[in-house]
Amino acid sequence: MMKMIIAVVQNKDSNHLRIALAKAHFGATQLSTTGSFLQSKNSTFMIVVKDEQVDDVLAVIKKHAKTREQFMTPSAYIDNAANSMPVNVQVGGATVFVLPVDSMFHF
Amino acid sequence: MMKMIIAVVQNKDSNHLRIALAKAHFGATQLSTTGSFLQSKNSTFMIVVKDEQVDDVLAVIKKHAKTREQFMTPSAYIDNAANSMPVNVQVGGATVFVLPVDSMFHF
Amino acid sequence: MMKMIIAVVQNKDSNHLRIALAKAHFGATQLSTTGSFLQSKNSTFMIVVKDEQVDDVLAVIKKHAKTREQFMTPSAYIDNAANSMPVNVQVGGATVFVLPVDSMFHF
Ligand code: NI
Ligand code: NI
Ligand code: NI
C-alpha cells in the first residue's frame, strides 16, 4: 500500500526540505500555495511512498521545517538604536496530511 | 477521522470564500489552478477537518461560491445602445471533492 | 465510488493531454508544479471520475504523455557541424497516482 504525504511549509524552508528529500531519495512534486489566514506564500510538497516509508519522510520534514525560535536583528534601515537589538521570533512549521493511495503508474 | 475537502471555485469568488472560511475558523491552503475545458483561471482550496465538520465547510462553500444569476451591463466600450441593456448571466459555481485523510501532523 | 487521478507530466505534453482529456469529456483541474529532483517545471492534472472510468483516463494519459524517444537536432546556434547531427533523446513520461474519493458536490 502507498500513501500521499502533503506537506505545507514556509517558503524559507522549502529549498532546504527539497534538497533533504532528494538526498533521502524521496521524489516530490512542489506547488506554490497561499495560506488562507495571513495570505502568506508557502510551499506545498506532494510525496508518494510505500506505507513503511511514511515515518522516514515525516522525520525529514520535521527535521527541516519544524517550528523553531530564531534570533533576528531588525533590518538595518531601522536606524533607531533601541530597535536594533536581536529579537526572538518563531519561524518555520509544517502542516502535514497523509492520504491513502490506491495505485501508482509510470508511463 | 479526518477529511480533505478540495474545492475548485471561480477566481471572482475566491476572496469572499477565503474570508468566510477564516471567519468560521477553517484554515485552507489556496492554489492557482486552470480549468481544462475553457482554460479559465480558477482557485482551488484544500481544507482538512474532522469528519463532523465537513458539512459546515460544505455549507460555507455553497453559500459563497454557488452558481447564481447576475445582471451585467455590457462594458461601456461597446457604444451600440442596443447592446448596453443589462443581461442575465450565470456566475460562480464550485466543484468539491471530499477525500479520506489517514493522519495529520503539525511540526 | 469515485477516484481522483493525479497525473504529473512534462510541460511540453500538457497541452496535448489537456485537449485529449477534454475530447474524451474528462474535466481536469491543472496546476503548475515543479519536480524536486531537477526542479523541472511540470504540469499536474487532477481528474475525478467514477471507478469504472479510471482505465479510460489512464489510457488517455499513457497515449499522450508516455516516455518516448525523439530525434532532436541540436539548436542552430551551435555552429559546430559535428554537433548538428540529430540525436536520440528521451522525452515525456507521466507519474500517476489514483486516490479514493468519498464524495463529490457541484454547487
Ligand atoms: Ni539539512
Ligand atoms: Ni460572506
Ligand atoms: Ni492526441
Side-chain angles (χ1 to χ4, degrees):
Chain A
M1 294 290 290
M2 313 197 81
K3 301 287 184 210
M4 174 175 287
I5 297 164
I6 298 177
V8 185
V9 306
Q10 287 196 354
N11 270 352
K12 67 180 297 172
D13 287 334
S14 69
N15 262 329
H16 197 180
L17 177 56
R18 181 179 54 76
I19 292 164
L21 287 168
K23 276 185 184 163
H25 304 286
F26 294 125
T29 298
Q30 219 174 313
L31 289 68
S32 288
T33 50
T34 309
S36 65
F37 283 134
L38 299 172
Q39 288 194 262
S40 50
K41 301 286 170 203
N42 47 37
S43 235
T44 296
F45 288 76
M46 235 169 56
I47 306 139
V48 174
V49 292
K50 289 178 190 149
D51 282 16
E52 58 267 30
Q53 296 173 302
V54 169
D55 285 345
D56 290 344
V57 174
L58 294 177
V60 174
I61 297 170
K62 189 173 183 177
K63 188 175 173 194
H64 290 94
K66 73 159 179 282
T67 310
R68 66 240 178 229
E69 304 206 318
Q70 208 168 61
F71 278 101
M72 288 181 72
T73 307
S75 317
Y77 63 78
I78 302 174
D79 60 4
N80 180 332
N83 285 337
S84 64
M85 299 280 292
V87 289
N88 212 354
V89 295
Q90 274 212 341
V91 296
T95 304
V96 186
F97 312 114
V98 182
L99 279 70
V101 172
D102 282 353
S103 52
M104 177 173 171
F105 302 90
H106 284 290
F107 294 133
Chain B
M1 295 289 290
M2 313 197 81
K3 301 287 184 212
M4 175 175 287
I5 296 163
I6 297 178
V8 185
V9 306
Q10 288 196 353
N11 269 353
K12 67 181 298 173
D13 286 335
S14 70
N15 262 330
H16 197 179
L17 177 56
R18 180 178 55 75
I19 293 164
L21 287 168
K23 277 187 184 162
H25 304 287
F26 294 124
T29 298
Q30 219 175 312
L31 289 69
S32 289
T33 49
T34 309
S36 65
F37 283 136
L38 299 173
Q39 288 193 264
S40 49
K41 300 287 169 202
N42 47 37
S43 235
T44 296
F45 288 76
M46 234 169 56
I47 306 140
V48 174
V49 292
K50 289 179 190 149
D51 282 16
E52 58 266 30
Q53 295 173 304
V54 169
D55 285 346
D56 290 344
V57 174
L58 294 177
V60 173
I61 297 169
K62 189 174 183 176
K63 188 174 172 194
H64 290 93
K66 73 159 180 280
T67 309
R68 66 243 177 227
E69 303 207 317
Q70 209 169 58
F71 278 101
M72 289 181 70
T73 308
S75 318
Y77 63 79
I78 302 173
D79 59 4
N80 180 333
N83 284 338
S84 66
M85 299 280 291
V87 289
N88 213 355
V89 295
Q90 274 213 340
V91 297
T95 304
V96 186
F97 313 113
V98 181
L99 278 71
V101 172
D102 282 353
S103 51
M104 176 173 171
F105 303 89
H106 284 291
F107 295 133
Chain C
M1 295 290 291
M2 313 196 81
K3 302 287 184 210
M4 174 175 287
I5 297 164
I6 298 178
V8 185
V9 306
Q10 287 196 353
N11 270 352
K12 67 181 298 172
D13 287 334
S14 70
N15 262 330
H16 196 179
L17 178 56
R18 181 179 55 76
I19 293 165
L21 287 168
K23 276 186 185 164
H25 304 287
F26 294 124
T29 299
Q30 219 175 311
L31 290 68
S32 288
T33 50
T34 309
S36 64
F37 284 135
L38 300 173
Q39 288 194 264
S40 50
K41 301 286 170 203
N42 47 37
S43 234
T44 296
F45 288 77
M46 234 169 56
I47 306 139
V48 174
V49 293
K50 289 178 190 149
D51 282 16
E52 58 267 30
Q53 295 173 303
V54 169
D55 286 346
D56 290 344
V57 175
L58 293 178
V60 173
I61 297 169
K62 189 173 183 176
K63 188 174 173 194
H64 290 93
K66 72 158 179 279
T67 309
R68 65 238 178 233
E69 303 207 319
Q70 208 168 60
F71 279 101
M72 289 181 70
T73 307
S75 318
Y77 62 80
I78 303 174
D79 60 4
N80 180 332
N83 284 337
S84 65
M85 299 280 292
V87 290
N88 211 355
V89 296
Q90 274 213 341
V91 296
T95 304
V96 186
F97 312 113
V98 181
L99 279 71
V101 172
D102 282 353
S103 51
M104 176 174 173
F105 303 89
H106 284 291
F107 293 133

